[in-house]
Amino acid sequence: MVWLLLVCLPPLAGALAYGRAPLFAWLLAGLVWIAALGWAGDWPVLLTLLVLALYAGAMSVFLVDSLRRQWVTAPIFKAFRNALPTMSQTEKDALEAGTVWWEGELFKGNPDWRKLDGYPWPRLSEEEQAFLDNEVEELCRLTDDWDCTQRQDMPLEVWQHIKDKGFLGMIIPREYGGKGFSAYAHSQVITKLSTRSSAPAVTVMVPNSLGPAELLLHYGTPEQKQHYLPGLASGREIPAFALTSPWAGSDAASIPDAGVVCKGMWQGEEVLGMRVSFDKRYITLAPVCTVFGLAFRLYDPDGLLGGEQDVGITCALVPHDHPGVDIGRRHFPLNAVWMNGPVRGKDVFMPLDFIIGGAAMAGQGWRMLMECLAAGRSISLPGSNVGMQKLTARTVGAYARVRYQFRTQIGRFEGVEEALTRIGANTYLCDAARTMTAGAVDLGEKPAVVSAIVKYHVTERARQVVNDGMDVIGGKGICLGPQNFLGRAYQQIPVGITVEGANILTRSLILFGQGAIRCHPFVLAEMDAAQRNDEGGFDHVLREHVAFTVNNAGRAFVMGLTGSHFVKLPIDVAPETRRYYQQLTRFSAAFAFIADISMGTLGGALKRKEKLSARLGDILSLMYLATATLKRYEAEGRQAADAPLMHWAIWDCMFRIQLAFEGVIANFPNKLYAFLLRRLVVFPLGRPYVVPSDRLGHEVAALLIGPSAARDRLTAGVHLPEDVEEPVGALEAALLATIAVEPIEDKLKQAQRSGAFEPGLMTGGDVDEVWRRARDAGVITDAEYLLVERRNMLRDKVIRVDDFPYDFDLGKAVESMPAVSPARGEAA
């Protein structure tokens, strides 16, 4: 083994120094080094010559084109073609949809940090900022989440504000009456609304995400755009999009809903159209929509369109009152207030003009959906879930300072500190990923893999954050009512886990499964060559692929031996983050190599090894989250006060990356490869990271429990009512009052310790009696007592929970509400 390492050392070092070295350079380096070993080690001449010959012979197979193609490429090409599964057009569309962005650099093994440095950090325009400060703030003020809960709908004035102020047309260009806002502005709006209530957040989110407006903008005919977009922008039209069926949830491409091309009567004339049957569920805004997009598989058995009988998945735009459409009922997704329900129809005749893009786009629906999904999934769920995280960080941090147990603020207990640490650092990281990804959309990207990364990880970490928040506030959180600031978020957190691709499926099948094909520099090209039976093209790509793999193995090994201390960075970074960039470079090289080994040894079986695929996806995802955090830290001016948040988030990512590597290696089917991967490539000197330190966690938690610029940056965008009758308003006021009283508390404690004040027995059951006695004894002044009295009043508001008459029945309250939402103006 040692001899093998010595033989391989020069080309490995050359790979680290020069990148992807030509194969002849590897040959020359190896020959020179073997000869030098033979001379220095006093080997017999014949042994040295034999080793030289064997090495030269092996390498010549790669150097001589004819030998390589005969002995290497041909058998690999044959095996690759046999192992490559037949790919349907639907699967091909899904793989080719969207674009590859920064995640592609992480897959190369040597990220170009100049690219990350060059990406602009998103900023709002003056118009967008004004909209956030005024219209969005007013919508938050108008919305009372508890009132909406009892109504099971938003009141008419809220619906009207949403429509009148253009919330439903934020992504629609100005030429059609829309706002024409950036993706980042869209994300900021959703984030802020989500700190107030899910009802307006989801109502605004869906029309600006994957749905009729976006599909029309990209694929609609001029007539369709002119007909629908102005109405959607003004709120006269309320859109929904019907994709999911009872039999096709995460496997949306298998929708059984079908249409048959036929002739029928439309507006008094016989026209060419479709007779469509569909049964959809979980359709957001369906009960109140005026028009909905519909995905179904179209068939043409009589050849009326002149093409294939199985035309393919098709998207149409259908008015809610079209004959045969059954709409109006609703679901209650974990008792959420936003509208959601089924859409059904049996043999509903529609003219071909209903197809988005007209008859020419029949069968192109899946590609349309996949291309648009990346943009919507990059914004909506990350925005809404970060909003819930920010709300949790702001409110739970304040509660931990205001609430006392064992005569101590609960935020001072290390157990609570641990939860606060996760809340703060996860919020910082997820907000960084949300912002950076929205910025990618504004750069014209449709990042299919990145959108899956942020959807999965932001929603999962939001679940952790809200759960931690509920643990801290305890009994306050488990009783619903107008004073509960976190209960509704806790109820509805699973919605984000489930929609737009269930998280289990996303992690197990998409993150690495799609990432390996889309982001890898060569795999997609190899698949394309194999499908075209192009052995010459395959040989060219394979040669580059082999060099790429060996290069990453060498770089990972050398960086592992040296602790990556000698990795040069082409950009200026903060001194406190330099090691993170170096370690991420090392992890990227190790990931690229282990990904190649996994795909090369397991082939198509890797798709069935979902746990291995999920862990590989974790590595890619965590590297993306870490780089987004580093980008945020740089973009915001290297704020020293924010450094604990950044450090804890990065350390957590690095530690989880190590665990994911260990999970892959420990469960790798080939144990020899697993041993070599662990000892020679990934962890030659052991794992460099441990869990983030308690000292660092203490610094993070301290940022949440007191006013500061860092706390304001972390929770920027949270709606903060000034009214102390509002739960969040009461918390904000109680936090300031508590801090003002802390010196007075210290004064009282000192008087008690010194014997200058003895409160005596407290028999009246009044926790504040001691303060009146201290005032009467002259220990505190009248002015100090007034501060204490105000703090106590606000504290009591914060810790109280709501109670109701014993016969209160929310179900009866719901039954008394109008059967139809005021959204369409049909019932108020």
Side-chain angles (χ1 to χ4, degrees):
M1 181 64 69
V2 174
W3 179 83
L4 178 63
L5 289 177
L6 290 174
V7 170
C8 296
L9 189 58
L12 295 179
L16 179 65
Y18 302 108
R20 193 180 306 153
L23 288 176
F24 73 85
W26 292 73
L27 173 61
L28 292 177
L31 292 174
V32 172
W33 187 246
I34 292 170
L37 286 176
W39 173 77
D42 197 26
W43 296 351
V45 174
L46 288 178
L47 177 59
T48 303
L49 291 176
L50 177 61
V51 173
L52 286 169
L54 290 174
Y55 185 84
M59 292 297 292
S60 66
V61 173
F62 291 95
L63 288 169
V64 180
D65 289 348
S66 58
L67 291 177
R68 183 181 66 254
R69 291 189 61 169
Q70 180 179 356
W71 296 103
V72 178
T73 303
I76 292 177
F77 183 68
K78 182 179 179 180
F80 190 84
R81 278 181 54 83
N82 290 336
L84 195 65
T86 303
M87 189 179 301
S88 68
Q89 187 60 43
T90 300
E91 293 173 314
K92 194 170 187 295
D93 288 344
L95 281 176
E96 294 177 354
T99 59
V100 177
W101 188 54
W102 172 245
E103 73 278 22
E105 290 295 321
L106 298 173
F107 224 110
K108 288 180 181 178
N110 190 19
D112 185 352
W113 297 112
R114 290 169 295 190
K115 286 188 177 180
L116 182 68
D117 186 56
Y119 294 140
W121 195 246
R123 309 287 182 198
L124 294 176
S125 68
E126 290 185 8
E127 180 187 359
E128 291 168 342
Q129 186 64 60
F131 185 79
L132 203 69
D133 294 340
N134 296 289
E135 284 85 348
V136 179
E137 186 69 24
E138 177 65 8
L139 179 53
C140 289
R141 189 192 65 78
L142 288 172
T143 304
D144 182 323
D145 195 57
W146 179 247
D147 177 65
C148 292
T149 300
Q150 294 181 85
R151 293 172 177 269
Q152 287 296 304
D153 196 0
M154 298 182 297
L156 178 60
E157 63 175 338
V158 174
W159 275 109
Q160 204 61 47
H161 184 82
I162 288 173
K163 294 190 286 187
D164 291 347
K165 301 302 181 181
F167 280 90
L168 302 183
M170 291 190 297
I171 67 168
I172 296 176
R174 289 179 175 83
E175 62 191 273
Y176 296 107
K179 295 289 184 185
F181 280 174
S182 64
Y184 177 58
H186 174 195
S187 178
Q188 289 288 86
V189 170
I190 300 305
T191 300
K192 182 158 192 162
L193 291 177
S194 298
T195 70
R196 183 60 167 171
S197 170
S198 66
V202 175
T203 300
V204 169
M205 179 172 77
V206 170
N208 291 286
S209 184
L210 176 62
E214 187 169 10
L215 292 170
L216 283 170
L217 284 171
H218 289 93
Y219 309 105
T221 65
E223 294 77 16
Q224 289 173 335
K225 292 179 181 180
Q226 289 295 338
H227 179 76
Y228 280 112
L229 290 178
L232 290 168
S234 67
R236 295 193 308 274
E237 300 280 7
I238 300 177
F241 191 82
L243 174 61
T244 306
S245 84
W247 303 276
S250 294
D251 184 15
S254 299
I255 52 175
D257 312 281
V260 177
V261 179
C262 62
K263 292 184 178 181
M265 298 301 295
W266 174 246
Q267 294 181 344
E269 297 181 15
E270 186 180 63
V271 299
L272 193 59
M274 312 162 287
R275 196 163 297 282
V276 187
S277 296
F278 52 95
D279 185 359
K280 304 290 190 178
R281 65 178 180 183
Y282 309 145
I283 310 307
T284 303
L285 296 187
V288 297
C289 74
T290 60
V291 62
F292 63 94
L294 177 67
F296 58 95
R297 183 171 290 278
L298 184 62
Y299 297 94
D300 185 17
D302 298 327
L304 298 177
L305 297 180
E308 299 287 334
Q309 288 191 350
D310 184 353
V311 179
I313 293 177
T314 300
C315 292
L317 208 54
V318 186
H320 80 285
D321 55 359
H322 185 72
V325 171
D326 178 13
I327 195 170
R329 296 174 64 84
R330 67 182 296 188
H331 305 305
F332 288 111
L334 294 176
N335 209 32
V337 172
W338 38 270
M339 291 291 170
N340 188 281
V343 179
R344 302 183 181 95
K346 180 69 174 177
D347 293 331
V348 179
F349 181 78
M350 307 173 188
L352 292 181
D353 288 347
F354 277 22
I355 297 174
I356 298 176
M361 294 301 291
Q364 302 299 310
W366 190 246
R367 175 176 287 275
M368 293 159 60
L369 293 174
M370 290 299 98
E371 289 178 349
C372 290
L373 178 64
R377 195 164 53 177
S378 297
I379 298 166
S380 299
L381 288 174
S384 60
N385 280 260
V386 165
M388 286 188 280
Q389 291 181 70
K390 289 190 173 199
L391 174 68
T392 305
R394 187 86 184 190
T395 56
V396 174
Y399 187 88
R401 185 108 177 226
V402 172
R403 181 72 160 127
Y404 283 65
Q405 290 286 272
F406 306 102
R407 299 183 179 180
T408 304
Q409 294 166 344
I410 63 173
R412 307 296 184 185
F413 293 110
E414 288 195 355
V416 172
E417 233 182 35
E418 193 173 18
L420 291 174
T421 297
R422 288 192 296 266
I423 291 171
N426 279 325
T427 300
Y428 185 87
L429 176 145
C430 290
D431 199 20
R434 171 192 74 90
T435 303
M436 181 164 144
T437 306
V441 176
D442 283 328
L443 292 174
E445 301 288 345
K446 294 182 179 179
V449 176
V450 162
S451 69
I453 288 173
V454 292
K455 187 274 174 186
Y456 171 78
H457 283 276
V458 172
T459 57
E460 285 293 338
R461 288 180 185 248
R463 172 155 60 180
Q464 174 75 70
V465 164
V466 174
N467 281 346
D468 280 330
M470 289 290 285
D471 285 348
V472 172
I473 65 176
K476 171 73 175 182
I478 63 173
C479 292
L480 282 178
Q483 295 303 312
N484 191 327
F485 52 85
L486 203 56
R488 300 291 284 157
Y490 179 75
Q491 278 185 304
Q492 294 164 28
I493 258 298
V495 175
I497 304 296
T498 303
V499 300
E500 292 192 11
N503 276 9
I504 290 177
L505 169 130
T506 300
R507 177 173 179 260
S508 301
L509 297 178
I510 296 178
L511 294 180
F512 183 75
Q514 186 175 12
I517 297 174
R518 290 305 316 275
C519 303
H520 195 287
F522 306 109
V523 168
L524 192 59
E526 289 167 339
M527 291 175 63
D528 182 61
Q531 288 172 337
R532 291 185 288 104
N533 200 23
D534 180 6
E535 186 175 318
F538 185 85
D539 174 72
H540 174 74
V541 179
L542 180 64
R543 180 179 178 181
E544 291 290 308
H545 192 162
V546 169
F548 169 81
T549 303
V550 176
N551 177 53
N552 281 319
R555 294 179 62 255
F557 173 69
V558 174
M559 285 188 286
L561 286 179
T562 61
S564 68
H565 283 281
F566 300 104
V567 173
K568 293 183 178 180
L569 299 177
I571 59 173
D572 175 53
V573 300
E576 62 269 27
T577 64
R578 180 178 182 79
R579 290 291 295 133
Y580 298 144
Y581 287 91
Q582 291 177 321
Q583 288 282 29
L584 283 167
T585 301
R586 170 196 172 180
F587 282 151
S588 176
F591 168 72
F593 179 68
I594 203 171
D596 273 333
I597 294 299
S598 299
M599 290 187 286
T601 58
L602 297 175
L606 182 58
K607 184 177 181 179
R608 296 185 294 276
K609 298 283 186 182
E610 293 180 19
K611 296 175 186 176
L612 282 179
S613 179
R615 294 179 184 116
L616 289 166
D618 288 343
I619 299 170
L620 176 63
S621 300
L622 290 163
M623 288 193 295
Y624 179 79
L625 296 177
T627 52
T629 303
L630 291 170
K631 176 67 176 176
R632 172 181 182 171
Y633 187 71
E634 289 289 335
E636 294 183 348
R638 305 178 183 178
Q639 299 287 341
D642 297 352
L645 296 162
M646 178 272 295
H647 284 302
W648 200 97
I650 298 291
W651 270 86
D652 181 63
C653 284
M654 296 296 199
F655 182 69
R656 291 179 188 232
I657 288 171
Q658 287 181 165
L659 291 180
F661 269 124
E662 195 64 49
V664 173
I665 294 169
N667 293 280
F668 208 78
N670 188 308
K671 297 306 176 185
L672 174 61
Y673 285 155
F675 174 80
L676 294 175
L677 286 171
R678 177 182 285 110
R679 296 301 181 188
L680 298 184
V681 178
V682 182
F683 299 124
L685 297 181
R687 300 190 300 184
Y689 280 93
V690 295
V691 295
S693 70
D694 291 343
R695 176 194 57 78
L696 183 59
H698 171 77
E699 294 177 10
V700 172
L703 292 175
L704 268 63
I705 63 174
S708 68
R711 180 172 180 261
D712 289 340
R713 283 191 293 271
L714 179 68
T715 61
V718 174
H719 174 64
L720 300 175
E722 296 181 358
D723 186 356
V724 296
E725 296 304 318
E726 293 259 13
V728 177
L731 271 167
E732 288 291 296
L735 175 62
L736 297 177
T738 297
I739 294 171
V741 167
E742 285 172 354
I744 307 173
E745 288 182 322
D746 292 338
K747 184 178 179 181
L748 178 62
K749 290 176 183 177
Q750 180 61 36
Q752 289 177 295
R753 283 194 295 266
S754 67
F757 173 65
E758 177 58 51
L761 296 176
M762 301 294 172
T763 60
D766 184 352
V767 297
D768 299 327
E769 185 178 352
V770 65
W771 293 107
R772 289 190 292 273
R773 293 188 182 184
R775 178 196 58 186
D776 295 342
V779 175
I780 63 173
T781 67
D782 288 340
E784 288 172 331
Y785 179 75
L786 290 176
L787 291 176
V788 171
E789 195 173 40
R790 174 171 168 76
R791 187 282 307 265
N792 293 347
M793 180 271 293
L794 291 168
R795 175 205 62 198
D796 292 346
K797 279 185 176 292
V798 164
I799 66 175
R800 78 182 184 197
V801 296
D802 297 289
D803 50 62
F804 304 91
Y806 75 93
D807 59 348
F808 176 81
D809 188 341
L810 180 60
K812 291 182 179 178
V814 172
E815 289 174 5
S816 68
M817 299 307 296
V820 180
S821 165
R824 296 195 200 117
E826 297 174 5

